[in-house]
Amino acid sequence: MRNYETIVIAKPDVNEGYISTLSKKIEKVVTRKPGELIKKDDWGLKRLAYEIAKTQKGRYLYWNYSQMPEAISEIERHLKFDENILRFLTVISEETQTPKKAEKDEAKARKKVKKAEEA
């Protein structure tokens, strides 16, 4: 089993219902045994570096998970045929991360940001 990160850029005009449905589809594949969802994040609407399909903004979604390599093709199949997806990318994550470790890393990052804001 390997760790993966998937980032999806959806069209900016998609509603919350669509985002919820997409997340459930991906999480259903990710959490199948022996898989585990480590982190899920909605980065929100961001300006694209270049125009894609006459669109200058996109809704960024992120998943970090561990799963067997065979599951990746199924996740990408769901994304490939969806007309509301502008781009997606799945990469192998080098660092082994568990949900507890992810929470600790996030807490450390928040403390650093808080210290930097106070200074």
Side-chain angles (χ1 to χ4, degrees), residues 69-81:
E70 298 81 31
I72 303 307
S73 60
E74 187 174 346
I75 291 170
E76 291 185 348
R77 183 178 54 82
H78 283 295
L79 299 172
K80 190 184 303 182
F81 296 115

PDB file of all heavy atoms in Angstrom, residues 69-81:
ATOM      1  N   PRO A  69      -2.320   0.510  -5.486  1.00  0.00           N
ATOM      2  CA  PRO A  69      -2.195   1.197  -6.780  1.00  0.00           C
ATOM      3  C   PRO A  69      -3.371   0.985  -7.734  1.00  0.00           C
ATOM      4  O   PRO A  69      -3.667   1.855  -8.554  1.00  0.00           O
ATOM      5  CB  PRO A  69      -0.910   0.610  -7.366  1.00  0.00           C
ATOM      6  CG  PRO A  69      -0.129   0.137  -6.195  1.00  0.00           C
ATOM      7  CD  PRO A  69      -1.142  -0.297  -5.185  1.00  0.00           C
ATOM      8  N   GLU A  70      -4.066  -0.112  -7.617  1.00  0.00           N
ATOM      9  CA  GLU A  70      -5.185  -0.390  -8.517  1.00  0.00           C
ATOM     10  C   GLU A  70      -6.328   0.614  -8.336  1.00  0.00           C
ATOM     11  O   GLU A  70      -7.103   0.856  -9.263  1.00  0.00           O
ATOM     12  CB  GLU A  70      -5.734  -1.809  -8.284  1.00  0.00           C
ATOM     13  CG  GLU A  70      -4.748  -2.916  -8.565  1.00  0.00           C
ATOM     14  CD  GLU A  70      -3.766  -3.169  -7.418  1.00  0.00           C
ATOM     15  OE1 GLU A  70      -4.118  -2.966  -6.242  1.00  0.00           O
ATOM     16  OE2 GLU A  70      -2.634  -3.554  -7.724  1.00  0.00           O
ATOM     17  N   ALA A  71      -6.452   1.184  -7.162  1.00  0.00           N
ATOM     18  CA  ALA A  71      -7.543   2.120  -6.889  1.00  0.00           C
ATOM     19  C   ALA A  71      -7.358   3.446  -7.621  1.00  0.00           C
ATOM     20  O   ALA A  71      -8.335   4.146  -7.899  1.00  0.00           O
ATOM     21  CB  ALA A  71      -7.654   2.369  -5.388  1.00  0.00           C
ATOM     22  N   ILE A  72      -6.132   3.787  -7.947  1.00  0.00           N
ATOM     23  CA  ILE A  72      -5.854   5.062  -8.598  1.00  0.00           C
ATOM     24  C   ILE A  72      -6.528   5.137  -9.961  1.00  0.00           C
ATOM     25  O   ILE A  72      -7.104   6.164 -10.323  1.00  0.00           O
ATOM     26  CB  ILE A  72      -4.331   5.297  -8.732  1.00  0.00           C
ATOM     27  CG1 ILE A  72      -3.656   5.237  -7.356  1.00  0.00           C
ATOM     28  CG2 ILE A  72      -4.044   6.619  -9.418  1.00  0.00           C
ATOM     29  CD1 ILE A  72      -4.252   6.120  -6.312  1.00  0.00           C
ATOM     30  N   SER A  73      -6.488   4.058 -10.710  1.00  0.00           N
ATOM     31  CA  SER A  73      -7.127   4.069 -12.031  1.00  0.00           C
ATOM     32  C   SER A  73      -8.635   4.279 -11.910  1.00  0.00           C
ATOM     33  O   SER A  73      -9.240   4.963 -12.744  1.00  0.00           O
ATOM     34  CB  SER A  73      -6.817   2.791 -12.800  1.00  0.00           C
ATOM     35  OG  SER A  73      -7.294   1.669 -12.098  1.00  0.00           O
ATOM     36  N   GLU A  74      -9.244   3.751 -10.873  1.00  0.00           N
ATOM     37  CA  GLU A  74     -10.683   3.943 -10.681  1.00  0.00           C
ATOM     38  C   GLU A  74     -10.997   5.394 -10.302  1.00  0.00           C
ATOM     39  O   GLU A  74     -11.956   5.983 -10.809  1.00  0.00           O
ATOM     40  CB  GLU A  74     -11.213   2.994  -9.615  1.00  0.00           C
ATOM     41  CG  GLU A  74     -12.711   3.046  -9.509  1.00  0.00           C
ATOM     42  CD  GLU A  74     -13.278   2.000  -8.559  1.00  0.00           C
ATOM     43  OE1 GLU A  74     -12.551   1.067  -8.173  1.00  0.00           O
ATOM     44  OE2 GLU A  74     -14.465   2.137  -8.222  1.00  0.00           O
ATOM     45  N   ILE A  75     -10.184   5.973  -9.431  1.00  0.00           N
ATOM     46  CA  ILE A  75     -10.376   7.381  -9.052  1.00  0.00           C
ATOM     47  C   ILE A  75     -10.231   8.273 -10.278  1.00  0.00           C
ATOM     48  O   ILE A  75     -11.057   9.150 -10.531  1.00  0.00           O
ATOM     49  CB  ILE A  75      -9.362   7.791  -7.958  1.00  0.00           C
ATOM     50  CG1 ILE A  75      -9.693   7.085  -6.648  1.00  0.00           C
ATOM     51  CG2 ILE A  75      -9.355   9.304  -7.771  1.00  0.00           C
ATOM     52  CD1 ILE A  75      -8.643   7.222  -5.586  1.00  0.00           C
ATOM     53  N   GLU A  76      -9.180   8.036 -11.061  1.00  0.00           N
ATOM     54  CA  GLU A  76      -8.948   8.863 -12.241  1.00  0.00           C
ATOM     55  C   GLU A  76     -10.022   8.650 -13.305  1.00  0.00           C
ATOM     56  O   GLU A  76     -10.338   9.566 -14.055  1.00  0.00           O
ATOM     57  CB  GLU A  76      -7.549   8.630 -12.779  1.00  0.00           C
ATOM     58  CG  GLU A  76      -6.507   9.178 -11.830  1.00  0.00           C
ATOM     59  CD  GLU A  76      -5.082   9.093 -12.343  1.00  0.00           C
ATOM     60  OE1 GLU A  76      -4.842   8.392 -13.350  1.00  0.00           O
ATOM     61  OE2 GLU A  76      -4.221   9.735 -11.729  1.00  0.00           O
ATOM     62  N   ARG A  77     -10.604   7.470 -13.365  1.00  0.00           N
ATOM     63  CA  ARG A  77     -11.705   7.227 -14.297  1.00  0.00           C
ATOM     64  C   ARG A  77     -12.913   8.088 -13.929  1.00  0.00           C
ATOM     65  O   ARG A  77     -13.561   8.679 -14.789  1.00  0.00           O
ATOM     66  CB  ARG A  77     -12.090   5.745 -14.288  1.00  0.00           C
ATOM     67  CG  ARG A  77     -13.181   5.399 -15.297  1.00  0.00           C
ATOM     68  CD  ARG A  77     -13.505   3.911 -15.280  1.00  0.00           C
ATOM     69  NE  ARG A  77     -13.835   3.393 -13.964  1.00  0.00           N
ATOM     70  CZ  ARG A  77     -15.040   3.485 -13.380  1.00  0.00           C
ATOM     71  NH1 ARG A  77     -16.029   4.080 -14.009  1.00  0.00           N
ATOM     72  NH2 ARG A  77     -15.251   2.972 -12.185  1.00  0.00           N
ATOM     73  N   HIS A  78     -13.202   8.202 -12.621  1.00  0.00           N
ATOM     74  CA  HIS A  78     -14.301   9.055 -12.171  1.00  0.00           C
ATOM     75  C   HIS A  78     -14.045  10.511 -12.567  1.00  0.00           C
ATOM     76  O   HIS A  78     -14.965  11.223 -12.969  1.00  0.00           O
ATOM     77  CB  HIS A  78     -14.470   8.992 -10.650  1.00  0.00           C
ATOM     78  CG  HIS A  78     -15.139   7.757 -10.161  1.00  0.00           C
ATOM     79  ND1 HIS A  78     -16.443   7.437 -10.447  1.00  0.00           N
ATOM     80  CD2 HIS A  78     -14.672   6.744  -9.390  1.00  0.00           C
ATOM     81  CE1 HIS A  78     -16.755   6.292  -9.870  1.00  0.00           C
ATOM     82  NE2 HIS A  78     -15.695   5.850  -9.221  1.00  0.00           N
ATOM     83  N   LEU A  79     -12.807  10.939 -12.452  1.00  0.00           N
ATOM     84  CA  LEU A  79     -12.467  12.338 -12.729  1.00  0.00           C
ATOM     85  C   LEU A  79     -12.377  12.638 -14.221  1.00  0.00           C
ATOM     86  O   LEU A  79     -12.759  13.714 -14.666  1.00  0.00           O
ATOM     87  CB  LEU A  79     -11.139  12.690 -12.042  1.00  0.00           C
ATOM     88  CG  LEU A  79     -11.122  12.572 -10.519  1.00  0.00           C
ATOM     89  CD1 LEU A  79      -9.715  12.753  -9.992  1.00  0.00           C
ATOM     90  CD2 LEU A  79     -12.075  13.575  -9.894  1.00  0.00           C
ATOM     91  N   LYS A  80     -11.886  11.684 -14.987  1.00  0.00           N
ATOM     92  CA  LYS A  80     -11.639  11.893 -16.416  1.00  0.00           C
ATOM     93  C   LYS A  80     -12.914  12.201 -17.198  1.00  0.00           C
ATOM     94  O   LYS A  80     -12.907  13.025 -18.100  1.00  0.00           O
ATOM     95  CB  LYS A  80     -10.968  10.654 -17.000  1.00  0.00           C
ATOM     96  CG  LYS A  80     -10.452  10.831 -18.407  1.00  0.00           C
ATOM     97  CD  LYS A  80      -9.889   9.540 -18.971  1.00  0.00           C
ATOM     98  CE  LYS A  80      -8.790   8.999 -18.107  1.00  0.00           C
ATOM     99  NZ  LYS A  80      -8.169   7.783 -18.629  1.00  0.00           N
ATOM    100  N   PHE A  81     -14.011  11.554 -16.854  1.00  0.00           N
ATOM    101  CA  PHE A  81     -15.238  11.695 -17.621  1.00  0.00           C
ATOM    102  C   PHE A  81     -16.204  12.723 -17.036  1.00  0.00           C
ATOM    103  O   PHE A  81     -17.335  12.830 -17.480  1.00  0.00           O
ATOM    104  CB  PHE A  81     -15.928  10.345 -17.772  1.00  0.00           C
ATOM    105  CG  PHE A  81     -15.104   9.380 -18.567  1.00  0.00           C
ATOM    106  CD1 PHE A  81     -14.592   8.238 -17.980  1.00  0.00           C
ATOM    107  CD2 PHE A  81     -14.804   9.629 -19.885  1.00  0.00           C
ATOM    108  CE1 PHE A  81     -13.816   7.352 -18.704  1.00  0.00           C
ATOM    109  CE2 PHE A  81     -14.026   8.759 -20.625  1.00  0.00           C
ATOM    110  CZ  PHE A  81     -13.534   7.611 -20.032  1.00  0.00           C
TER     111      PHE A  81
END
